[in-house]
Amino acid sequence: MISNYVKLFDILLCRNVCPIVIRFLLCMYTSQLIHVRWGTQLSEQYEVRNGVKQGGVLSPVLFIIYMDELLCKLRNTKAGCHIGHTFCGALGYADDIVLLSPSVTGMKQLLDVCSKFASEYDVLFNSAKSHLLVFGDAPYAPKHIEFMGGHISIVKNEKHLGNPIGIDSDMLRIENAITELYSKTNMIMANCPYVHFDIKYGLFKTFCMPLYGCTLWNHTGCNIKRFHVAWRKCVRRILGVPNTTHCNLLPYICGDNDVNSQLLSRFIKMLKTTVRSGNIVSNICVKLAINGSRSNVSNNISLITEMYGVSRDNMLYMTGRGLQSPRDNQLSDTASVIRDILNGEIDLLTNNKNVHMLHVLCTN
């Protein structure tokens, strides 16, 4: 929250913002009067002396400008992590800030800057909601670090922007995705039991497959196989085919790519977007991954180059179609017959032979 309007407008002046615009903002923010409604009751009006307007178009920009002062001060310490000569010790997204340091001493320097900034700019950092993650072997790591009158404790895992980071974070990300996939599939089946299977699959794609953060999954580990299995189980339920239906048939019945191709296609799209990004740190990290590193991104790039026989550089020119497996005409014909049966041209509930036929087509 922006608590000191004087500091905000000083920052805007230092950034050569038009004085007329600053006067307009000054008038707008220093003469705010609001009411509070509770049921049918309306309070008396009172002044608002801190914060930015909720829902205002300028509010995110003003907040970013305010917090950018902290990021600049952190960069100027020369402490924290660097990639070459590029500072990577402080990463900010809205009001979430991550500090990265190769040593405890460097981390304490960065936290001291945050403490001074909080005092000077009337910002409150909550040490109780802050956590310390230690990567690698650190036998002499402290149990906690003092900060803002409290202490920051060491934890094994922590969520940042909805993504688990820390020990076994790969497993946690996929476990959370599997749980959410099953839950949303059950909701679709409970609320739309008699809807056509094509429509149900469309709902499945929309509500069950956003998979926030899946572009950072490790596709070379054993955990990803568990998600593939969960996806196939859910799709079988959505389509209404036997639980033993062959995996290779499912994409043809759905008229869609298999789950592995869908996930890798998203991964490549993320890489392309990051390469085009104006963020220096993101560009450096992608280049390191393409050249070869021990990260999940680099491992996934190696997997794609091996599976599809492309170089690491040319992989960025691949499209979703390039990830599709060669079409199998026999599987396509079998899936077409299965779709005809599922479309209800024959009443399966009263014709056991056709139920048997569906089972044979799906499992043999």
Side-chain angles (χ1 to χ4, degrees):
M1 178 186 293
I2 296 177
S3 301
N4 194 325
Y5 287 139
V6 175
K7 286 289 185 182
L8 172 63
F9 298 128
D10 282 344
I11 294 170
L12 294 176
L13 283 171
C14 292
R15 293 182 178 234
N16 297 321
V17 176
C18 175
I20 297 176
V21 174
I22 295 177
R23 286 180 62 185
F24 169 74
L25 293 173
L26 180 64
C27 178
M28 184 170 68
Y29 274 95
T30 57
S31 59
Q32 298 181 91
L33 299 174
I34 67 170
H35 297 275
V36 175
R37 182 183 295 278
W38 181 268
T40 58
Q41 303 298 316
L42 192 66
S43 72
E44 296 182 358
Q45 66 181 19
Y46 60 93
E47 294 183 3
V48 178
R49 298 179 180 177
N50 56 28
V52 291
K53 294 178 180 292
Q54 186 175 0
V57 176
L58 280 177
S59 297
V61 178
L62 295 175
F63 182 80
I64 290 171
I65 292 173
Y66 199 74
M67 295 307 295
D68 189 54
E69 289 295 300
L70 172 60
L71 299 179
C72 292
K73 291 178 183 293
L74 291 169
R75 182 182 59 203
N76 293 335
T77 62
K78 307 298 182 182
C81 290
H82 288 73
I83 301 178
H85 297 290
T86 302
F87 175 69
C88 305
L91 307 175
Y93 186 88
D95 59 348
D96 286 309
I97 297 177
V98 175
L99 302 180
L100 302 173
S101 175
S103 66
V104 176
T105 302
M107 180 60 69
K108 288 181 177 179
Q109 284 183 263
L110 296 177
L111 290 173
D112 286 342
V113 172
C114 292
S115 297
K116 293 176 182 178
F117 179 86
S119 175
E120 183 180 355
Y121 287 78
D122 295 329
V123 174
L124 179 63
F125 293 109
N126 192 339
S127 59
K129 292 184 178 180
S130 303
H131 296 97
L132 181 65
L133 290 170
V134 179
F135 294 89
D137 295 330
Y140 302 107
K143 294 183 179 180
H144 61 265
I145 293 180
E146 301 296 328
F147 179 60
M148 299 290 293
H151 63 268
I152 302 176
S153 301
I154 292 181
V155 295
K156 293 182 177 180
N157 293 283
E158 176 61 19
K159 273 194 174 182
H160 177 61
L161 304 179
N163 279 304
I165 54 176
I167 300 174
D168 295 328
S169 57
D170 288 335
M171 180 184 68
L172 290 175
R173 292 189 194 109
I174 294 177
E175 281 185 353
N176 293 340
I178 291 173
T179 301
E180 189 173 1
L181 185 70
Y182 282 139
S183 174
K184 290 183 176 180
T185 300
N186 290 336
M187 289 178 62
I188 292 175
M189 297 303 296
N191 291 288
C192 310
Y194 304 112
V195 174
H196 190 274
F197 67 90
D198 278 334
I199 297 176
K200 278 196 285 190
Y201 183 73
L203 293 171
F204 174 80
K205 286 274 288 185
T206 302
F207 296 107
C208 302
M209 290 295 288
L211 300 180
Y212 173 71
C214 69
T215 50
L216 298 178
W217 292 357
N218 183 5
H219 291 270
T220 62
C222 59
N223 292 316
I224 193 66
K225 304 299 182 185
R226 295 174 53 227
F227 182 82
H228 293 173
V229 171
W231 181 86
R232 290 193 287 264
K233 287 181 179 179
C234 291
V235 169
R236 290 186 184 104
R237 288 191 63 199
I238 292 291
L239 297 177
V241 295
N243 294 333
T244 52
T245 301
H246 281 305
C247 305
N248 294 337
L249 267 174
L250 295 177
Y252 291 93
I253 300 174
C254 297
D256 198 2
N257 293 337
D258 64 90
V259 62
N260 189 49
S261 297
Q262 291 182 41
L263 294 175
L264 292 180
S265 178
R266 295 187 190 191
F267 172 75
I268 292 177
K269 184 178 179 181
M270 180 274 293
L271 274 186
K272 293 179 180 178
T273 303
T274 309
V275 167
R276 294 193 298 265
S277 168
N279 188 291
I280 297 175
V281 175
S282 297
N283 286 335
I284 292 175
C285 290
V286 170
K287 289 178 181 177
L288 288 174
I290 292 175
N291 292 332
S293 64
R294 292 184 294 175
S295 65
N296 285 351
V297 175
S298 182
N299 293 337
N300 293 341
I301 291 174
S302 299
L303 174 68
I304 293 172
T305 56
E306 183 179 344
M307 286 179 60
Y308 299 98
V310 296
S311 67
R312 298 177 79 91
D313 292 328
N314 291 335
M315 188 203 64
L316 294 175
Y317 299 101
M318 293 183 69
T319 62
R321 291 183 178 181
L323 296 174
Q324 294 178 4
S325 302
R327 189 168 184 82
D328 188 313
N329 292 329
Q330 183 177 354
L331 288 176
S332 178
D333 293 340
T334 303
S336 179
V337 176
I338 293 172
R339 285 182 60 86
D340 288 340
I341 296 175
L342 293 175
N343 276 325
E345 296 179 0
I346 303 174
D347 190 353
L348 301 180
L349 297 177
T350 59
N351 194 325
N352 292 330
K353 290 184 179 180
N354 288 301
V355 174
H356 178 69
M357 181 189 300
L358 179 65
H359 181 81
V360 169
L361 288 171
C362 289
T363 57
N364 288 346

